[in-house]
Amino acid sequence: MLTARYVGDRTIETAELTAATPPAGHVQVRVAYNGLCGTDLHILHGSMDGRVTRPLIFGHEASGEVAAVGDGVTGWAVGDPVVVMPLDWDGTCPACLAGHQHICQNLTFIGIDSPGALQELWNVPARTLVRLPAGLRLDHAALVEPVAVAVHDVRRGEVTTGDKVVVIGGGPIGVLIATVARDAGADVVVIELDAGRRGQIADLGFTTLDPAAADQVAWVEEWTGGAGADVVFEVSGAAAAVLGATALAKVRGTIVVVAIHPTPRPIDLQRMFWRELRLLGARVYEATDFEAAVDLLARGVIPAELLITKIVPLSGTAGAFADLEAGRAMKILVDVRDHS
């Protein structure tokens, strides 16, 4: 089978490997599409070299069909359309025993800590599979994983009908959070520096704000009648955004930190105290988030056609990252079956 893998030094290579038979308790997925994301960029840049084993077949936003079933697996048959929730927990740590398996203290994130989806035949634990409904296209289904991130974030923020929601950062996850929050009944504004992205977001029907051209605090105060936003999502990863987020939230408002911040950031604790704000972390997702994401895509709530900038063959993976780094794409999928 053909694979794409990170070998270090900002280099991705394609290589032919022999597919292994799925072991007991595992299912082999014939991967159709895999989406590329910011975490994959971190891997490519070497930021995770202390964590990943190289060469690494990466990728975790995948859709496909069951190709083979290992011993002891029931409920799955060859040809079943699936996505993979790429979390493998130990079930024994304090977090797992408390019911928080998705943030297991010894979590293996498949596609980072173990081989991922940029391979034609991918063996994964059977319990990581999520069934797809008939009629949901596999290219659209490759968005289930990032949509599940957004569902989890919105659920953590307890967004409800009538809420005023601010999303700081208009990349793929920010746009998906805005979409899921709108579906929950919220009124949403997206703060984004890049003019091209603001145009794309406006095309999806959202109000956008350029923080370089407008006083975002004054704008949000006017928008909310002086109250402040009910929920603020920090998705940009910028230090200035974290520092400024507290100024946008209402009394007893909620700030949800979604972006991965590589270093500690300053935060306005005086504002946290003065308004009794809540600061929440939101990491990955749970099975219910995946199921909700599948439903949102199946119902057409997620504008998949507008979010998928292009689809490239497996050999085009390296070039796709160049487009992502340059800001020329919202979401790029790799057609793992295409060897051109």
Side-chain angles (χ1 to χ4, degrees):
M1 64 175 180
L2 197 64
T3 70
R5 56 188 191 172
Y6 167 67
V7 295
D9 195 26
R10 299 177 66 98
T11 301
I12 296 168
E13 69 172 20
T14 54
E16 288 191 5
L17 300 175
T18 300
T21 301
H26 286 61
V27 167
Q28 186 174 80
V29 175
R30 188 177 304 281
V31 181
Y33 297 96
N34 180 81
L36 303 178
C37 75
T39 301
D40 299 323
L41 269 175
H42 286 310
I43 292 173
L44 176 63
H45 292 163
S47 303
M48 303 177 75
D49 280 359
R51 176 177 174 181
V52 305
T53 299
R54 291 163 285 168
L56 172 70
I57 300 171
F58 59 102
H60 57 271
E61 300 182 2
S63 63
E65 297 177 342
V66 172
V69 176
D71 291 342
V73 174
T74 59
W76 296 103
V78 172
D80 285 346
V82 296
V83 290
V84 175
M85 188 174 78
L87 307 179
D88 193 9
W89 53 83
D90 64 16
T92 62
C93 74
C96 286
L97 295 176
H100 309 306
Q101 294 92 340
H102 70 295
I103 45 175
C104 167
Q105 291 164 230
N106 303 300
L107 184 70
T108 294
F109 195 105
I110 303 171
I112 299 174
D113 304 309
S114 63
L118 286 172
Q119 55 183 314
E120 293 180 79
L121 296 169
W122 183 28
N123 293 333
V124 296
R127 62 181 170 84
T128 66
L129 295 186
V130 177
R131 196 179 303 275
L132 295 176
L136 180 57
R137 289 168 43 177
L138 288 179
D139 56 344
H140 290 183
L143 297 179
V144 167
E145 195 270 355
V147 173
V149 170
V151 170
H152 185 72
D153 298 339
V154 170
R155 189 158 62 87
R156 282 285 284 158
E158 299 178 3
V159 173
T160 191
T161 300
D163 277 355
K164 297 285 191 180
V165 169
V166 175
V167 179
I168 305 173
I173 295 297
V175 170
L176 289 173
I177 288 171
T179 304
V180 174
R182 181 170 62 184
D183 188 62
D187 190 6
V188 184
V189 61
V190 181
I191 298 175
E192 171 57 45
L193 276 168
D194 184 84
R197 279 188 168 174
R198 286 199 308 276
Q200 291 176 299
I201 297 163
D203 288 344
L204 297 175
F206 293 105
T207 299
T208 64
L209 187 64
D210 178 0
D215 182 332
Q216 62 186 27
V217 175
W219 192 97
V220 169
E221 284 188 355
E222 181 178 356
W223 178 52
T224 61
D230 296 280
V231 187
V232 179
F233 293 93
E234 200 307 281
V235 200
S236 72
V242 177
L243 187 59
T246 52
L248 303 177
K250 71 175 188 180
V251 168
R252 290 204 167 184
T254 299
I255 300 165
V256 184
V257 180
V258 178
I260 299 173
H261 291 267
T263 59
R265 304 297 199 192
I267 188 166
D268 188 347
L269 290 180
Q270 201 275 345
R271 182 78 170 188
M272 293 284 297
F273 157 80
W274 199 255
R275 288 208 161 190
E276 290 196 351
L277 302 179
R278 291 195 308 162
L279 180 66
L280 299 176
R283 179 185 170 200
V284 292
Y285 27 63
E286 299 175 67
T288 55
D289 301 316
F290 252 72
E291 293 160 3
V294 169
D295 176 68
L296 287 167
L297 280 155
R299 290 193 289 116
V301 172
I302 306 299
E305 287 291 332
L306 294 175
L307 292 173
I308 298 170
T309 305
K310 65 178 179 178
I311 300 174
V312 302
L314 192 63
S315 60
T317 303
F321 277 117
D323 286 338
L324 288 175
E325 288 179 303
R328 293 190 292 264
M330 182 65 75
K331 177 60 69 174
I332 298 178
L333 304 185
V334 177
D335 186 341
V336 179
R337 307 161 299 181
D338 185 348
H339 299 170
S340 60

